[in-house]
C-alpha cells in the first residue's frame, strides 16, 4: 500500500531537496568580494556550500593584512579553494601595490629556458602556498599572434606555438610541484584577438586548421602535463562554434576539450562579470549557460555582492528544476571541484601564522605542508635584460657619456593588469617630467602599448627637437618604432631596465 504524504511532510521533503540543490549550486561558484576583510556573507556562503573564493588586487592593503585575510578564510573553511590571478609579470595580485618580483611570461619566453620558467612558477607557488592559497589562475597559455592584442600581449610566452607549449608545461610543473593548482588560460586561445573580452565579445576568424596548429598546441601540452584546471575564454571562435562563445559552448568544452583532447581536470570560467560573458544576459543566466556547456567552477568577478550570489544560486537551482541543466551535470561539476581541493590541500590557518612569525623573526624555512621544497632564488636583473630587444640606435645611446634622464609617459592598462606600478617609476630611480629634463642630458622616454597614436611620440619629438639624444622604450609587446623593448613592466623587469639605462647593467 502506498504511503500518502501529508502536505506538511511533502513540504518538508520538497524543502530539503531544494536546500540540497542550492548547496550543490553554491559548490560551483567562486565569487570575489569587496574590501580588505572577509565579509560576513562570504562566511555564511561557506556554511551553505560555497566552493571557492577569488582574491583580487583591491583585496590587498599590505602583506600582513593579506596573510590575516587568508588565515581567516582557512580558519572558517579549511578545505576551501582560495584562488588568485598571480601570473607574475604585469598581472599580479599579491604584489598589486608594488609590482611583481617575477619577470612574466614574455620575458621567460624570450629567454627560452624551461628550467627558468619552472623556477619562476615555483617561486610564485611557494609564496602562494605560504599564504594558504591553493589555486592560481595561471599560466596564460595563449599564443599572442596579434601584435596589437589589447589584453594578452606580454602575458603570453610568445607568438610561436611550440615555444608557448613547452613553457606552459614547465610553468605548470613548477607551480604544481609547490603544491598549488595551475589554470592554463584562455581556452581555446585568446591570442588572435584585437578586442578585450572585458569590454565586448571578440571574434576569432581563423580556420580550423590554423587553430589546430596554433591555438590548441599549448593546451595539448596542458593535457599532457596533467595540469589541474583550464580557464575558458569569452570569445566566439567561428570555426569551432559559430553560435556560442567558448564559455557557453558544449562543442568546445565537452566535445573538443573533454572528448577529443582528453582533459580530465576542472574547467573554470573566466570572470562572468565581463561584457563578453554577460552583457546580454546578466551573470546568473551566464552561470547557468556555462554549467550546461560543461564548465565546473564559475568565476563570478571581483565585486560580487551577496544579492548577486543568491540570484545566481537561485538561477542554477531553477535551471535544474526546469530541466535545462541536468542534475548529473551539476553533480559532476561539484565533484570535480571537490576533488581539486582534495588534490591540493592548503596550509591551514596555524601554518600561515607560523610562516608569518618565521618571516618576521628572520628565521629560515617554510611551514611544513604539502611536501613543499625550499623556495628557489629570483632571476637576476642582468639575466632578465638578456630578453630585451635593443636596437643599434639604443646601443649607441647606451654607449654615450652624457647624464641620463628618464621620462615615463603614463599609459593606461587593461582590466587584467589593473593599476599596478610599472616601469622605472615603480623603482627607486629618479624619473623626471618632460619639463625637468636637464640641458645636455640623453633621454629615455618610456611607455607601453606604443601604437602610432601613443602620446609618447609627441614627447619624443619635442625632446629631440630640443637637441637631446632620445630613445623610445616599450615596456610591453612590440608594435614597431621603439628602440628598446622589455616585453614586460613588472617591478623586477623595470629594475633591470633602469639599471641598463643608467649604465649599471650590461646590454
Amino acid at each position: 500500500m502506498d504511503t500518502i504524504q501529508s502536505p506538511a511532510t511533502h513540504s518538508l521533503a520538497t524543502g530539503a531537496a531544494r536546500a540540497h540543490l542550492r548547496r550543490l549550486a553554491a559548490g560551483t561558484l567562486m565569487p570575489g568580494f569587496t574590501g580588505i576583510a572577509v565579509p560576513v556573507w562570504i562566511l555564511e556562503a561557506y556554511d551553505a556550500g560555497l566552493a571557492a573564493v577569488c582574491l583580487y588586487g583591491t583585496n590587498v592593503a599590505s602583506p600582513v593584512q593579506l596573510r590575516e585575510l587568508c588565515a581567516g578564510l582557512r580558519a572558517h573553511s579549511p578545505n576551501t579553494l582560495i584562488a588568485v590571478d598571480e601570473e607574475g609579470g604585469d598581472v599580479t595580485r599579491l604584489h598589486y601595490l608594488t609590482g611583481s618580483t617575477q619577470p612574466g611570461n614574455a620575458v621567460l619566453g624570450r629567454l627560452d629556458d624551461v628550467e627558468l620558467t619552472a623556477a619562476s612558477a615555483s617561486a610564485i607557488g611557494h609564496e602562494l602556498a605560504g599564504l594558504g592559497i591553493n589555486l592560481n589562475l595561471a599560466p596564460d597559455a595563449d599564443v599572442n599572434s596579434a601584435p596589437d592584442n589589447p589584453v594578452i600581449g606580454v602575458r603570453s610566452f610568445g607568438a610561436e606555438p611550440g615555444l608557448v607549449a613547452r613553457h606552459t608545461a614547465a610553468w605548470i610543473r613548477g607551480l604544481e610541484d609547490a603544491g598549488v593548482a595551475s589554470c592554463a588560460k584562455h581556452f581555446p586561445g585568446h591570442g588572435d584577438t584585437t578586442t578585450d573580452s572585458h569590454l565586448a565579445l571578440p571574434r576569432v576568424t581563423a580556420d580550423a586548421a590554423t587553430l589546430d596548429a596554433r591555438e590548441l598546441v599549448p593546451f595539448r601540452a596542458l593535457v599532457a602535463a596533467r595540469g589541474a584546471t583550464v580557464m575558458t575564454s569569452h570569445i566566439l571562435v567561428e570555426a569551432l562554434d559559430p553560435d556560442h562563445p567558448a564559455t557557453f559552448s558544449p562543442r568546445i568544452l565537452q566535445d573538443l576539450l573533454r572528448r577529443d583532447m582528453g582533459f580530465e581536470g576542472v574547467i573554470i570560467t573566466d570572470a562572468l562579470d565581463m561584457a563578453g560573458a554577460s552583457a546580454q544576459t546578466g551573470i546568473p543566466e551566464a552561470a547557468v549557460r556555462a554549467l550546461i556547456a560543461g564548465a565546473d567552477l564559475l568565476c563570478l568577478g571581483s565585486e560580487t555582492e551577496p544579492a548577486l550570489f543568491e540570484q545566481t544560486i537561485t538561477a542554477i537551482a531553477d535551471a535544474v528544476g526546469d530541466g535545462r541543466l541536468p542534475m548529473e551535470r551539476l553533480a559532476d561539476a561539484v565533484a570535480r571541484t571537490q576533488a581539486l581541493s582534495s588534490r591540493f590541500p592548503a596550509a591551514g590557518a596555524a601554518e600561515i601564522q607560523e610562516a608569518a612569525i618565521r618571516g618576521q623573526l628572520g628565521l629560515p624555512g617554510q611551514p611544513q605542508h604539502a611536501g613543499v621544497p625550499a623556495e628557489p632564488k629570483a632571476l637576476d636583473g642582468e639575466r632578465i635584460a638578456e630578453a630585451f630587444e635593443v636596437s643599434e640606435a639604443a646601443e649607441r645611446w647606451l654607449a654615450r657619456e652624457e647624464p641620463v634622464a628618464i621620462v615615463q609617459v603614463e599609459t593606461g592598462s587593461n582590466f587584467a593588469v589593473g593599476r599596478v606600478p610599472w616601469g622605472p617609476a615603480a623603482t627607486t630611480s629618479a624619473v623626471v617630467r618632460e619639463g625637468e629634463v636637464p640641458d645636455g642630458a640623453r633621454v629615455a622616454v618610456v611607455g607601453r602599448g606604443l601604437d602610432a597614436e601613443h602620446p609618447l611620440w609627441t614627447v619624443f619629438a619635442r625632446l629631440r627637437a630640443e637637441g637631446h639624444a632620445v630613445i623610445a622604450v616599450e615596456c610591453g609587446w612590440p608594435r614597431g618604432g621603439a628602440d628598446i623593448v622589455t616585453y614586460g613592466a613588472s617591478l623586477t623587469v623595470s629594475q633591470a631596465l633602469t639599471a641598463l639605462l643608467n649604465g649599471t647593467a650590461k646590454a
Side-chain angles (χ1 to χ4, degrees):
M1 180 175 179
D2 294 335
T3 301
I4 300 175
Q5 288 186 328
S6 70
T9 302
H10 176 73
S11 177
L12 287 172
T14 303
R18 181 71 175 181
H20 175 67
L21 183 54
R22 289 178 63 84
R23 187 170 189 86
L24 287 177
T28 68
L29 301 183
M30 182 169 67
F33 56 86
T34 57
I36 59 174
V38 182
V40 172
W41 76 265
I42 286 285
L43 302 181
E44 293 173 344
Y46 273 131
D47 296 337
L50 177 64
V53 295
C54 188
L55 304 180
Y56 295 85
T58 52
N59 299 128
V60 179
S62 72
V64 171
Q65 169 269 332
L66 178 60
R67 189 179 296 114
E68 291 176 348
L69 185 152
C70 291
L73 288 168
R74 282 273 163 240
H76 190 87
S77 185
N79 298 320
T80 188
L81 290 166
I82 301 178
V84 71
D85 271 305
E86 191 61 36
E87 297 178 13
D90 288 20
V91 176
T92 180
R93 303 298 181 244
L94 302 189
H95 302 281
Y96 195 75
L97 304 177
T98 58
S100 176
T101 56
Q102 295 301 319
N105 285 5
V107 168
L108 292 168
R110 292 269 297 173
L111 294 173
D112 198 11
D113 181 334
V114 293
E115 294 307 317
L116 281 179
T117 295
S120 180
S122 180
I124 291 171
H126 281 84
E127 189 171 20
L128 295 173
L131 289 166
I133 295 171
N134 56 344
L135 172 58
N136 189 9
L137 304 180
D140 191 303
D142 299 307
V143 179
N144 196 64
S145 54
D148 55 347
N149 193 313
V151 69
I152 304 302
V154 299
R155 301 168 66 194
S156 167
F157 288 111
E160 197 280 308
L163 179 145
V164 176
R166 63 178 173 268
H167 286 276
T168 293
W171 213 99
I172 289 169
R173 169 168 56 87
L175 183 76
E176 295 196 353
D177 283 354
V180 177
S182 68
C183 182
K185 58 191 184 185
H186 306 81
F187 187 80
H190 207 317
D192 188 25
T193 59
T194 56
T195 300
D196 186 343
S197 51
H198 292 85
L199 305 175
L201 178 63
R203 289 178 177 265
V204 174
T205 58
D207 60 35
T210 300
L211 295 170
D212 186 68
R214 187 179 63 192
E215 270 72 15
L216 297 183
V217 173
F219 293 101
R220 291 195 191 95
L222 149 77
V223 175
R226 297 184 61 82
T229 80
V230 67
M231 178 177 284
T232 69
S233 58
H234 309 319
I235 61 176
L236 192 70
V237 186
E238 295 178 357
L240 300 179
D241 188 335
D243 302 316
H244 302 96
T247 298
F248 311 116
S249 171
R251 290 190 197 175
I252 292 175
L253 300 188
Q254 296 185 39
D255 297 347
L256 175 61
L257 181 58
R258 290 257 187 244
R259 185 192 66 198
D260 298 344
M261 297 178 66
F263 179 70
E264 297 179 350
V266 173
I267 299 175
I268 303 176
T269 70
D270 206 346
L272 294 179
D273 64 347
M274 296 164 62
S278 59
Q280 301 301 317
T281 67
I283 292 172
E285 173 61 16
V288 171
R289 293 173 62 204
L291 284 168
I292 293 171
D296 304 308
L297 184 58
L298 313 179
C299 180
L300 297 183
S302 60
E303 298 182 352
T304 310
E305 294 294 338
L308 173 63
F309 180 76
E310 288 298 319
Q311 290 163 10
T312 304
I313 289 178
T314 298
I316 294 170
D318 287 348
V320 174
D322 295 342
R324 291 179 61 207
L325 174 61
M327 173 63 88
E328 295 79 10
R329 171 79 274 274
L330 179 61
D332 174 62
V334 173
R336 289 180 184 275
T337 299
Q338 289 176 342
L340 177 66
S341 62
S342 297
R343 180 181 168 190
F344 291 92
E351 291 173 310
I352 296 171
Q353 293 300 333
E354 178 191 342
I357 293 169
R358 295 180 74 85
Q360 291 164 2
L361 297 178
L363 297 174
Q366 294 271 345
Q368 299 301 307
H369 63 276
V372 175
E375 182 175 348
K377 293 182 179 179
L379 197 58
D380 68 66
E382 289 191 359
R383 186 76 172 99
I384 290 171
E386 292 176 15
F388 296 174
E389 190 176 287
V390 182
S391 70
E392 292 183 1
E395 290 176 349
R396 292 193 295 271
W397 185 94
L398 291 168
R400 297 173 70 112
E401 296 184 353
E402 298 98 326
V404 173
I406 301 174
V407 175
Q408 183 164 316
V409 179
E410 190 53 45
T411 308
S413 60
N414 60 52
F415 281 95
V417 173
R419 297 181 175 274
V420 178
W422 67 278
T427 74
T428 57
S429 70
V431 173
V432 300
R433 296 187 178 91
E434 178 188 352
E436 299 171 342
V437 174
D439 293 339
R442 53 188 164 128
V443 187
V445 187
V446 180
R448 57 182 176 181
L450 301 184
D451 57 25
E453 306 302 319
H454 197 286
L456 175 142
W457 300 115
T458 302
V459 176
F460 181 96
R462 283 197 297 255
L463 289 167
R464 176 164 285 182
E466 293 172 5
H468 296 283
V470 188
I471 58 170
V473 180
E474 165 70 83
C475 285
W477 193 272
R479 301 188 182 194
D483 299 293
I484 295 176
V485 181
T486 65
Y487 290 85
S490 71
L491 177 61
T492 191
V493 171
S494 300
Q495 289 169 337
L497 169 64
T498 301
L500 176 65
L501 296 176
N502 286 326
T504 57
K506 293 182 288 187

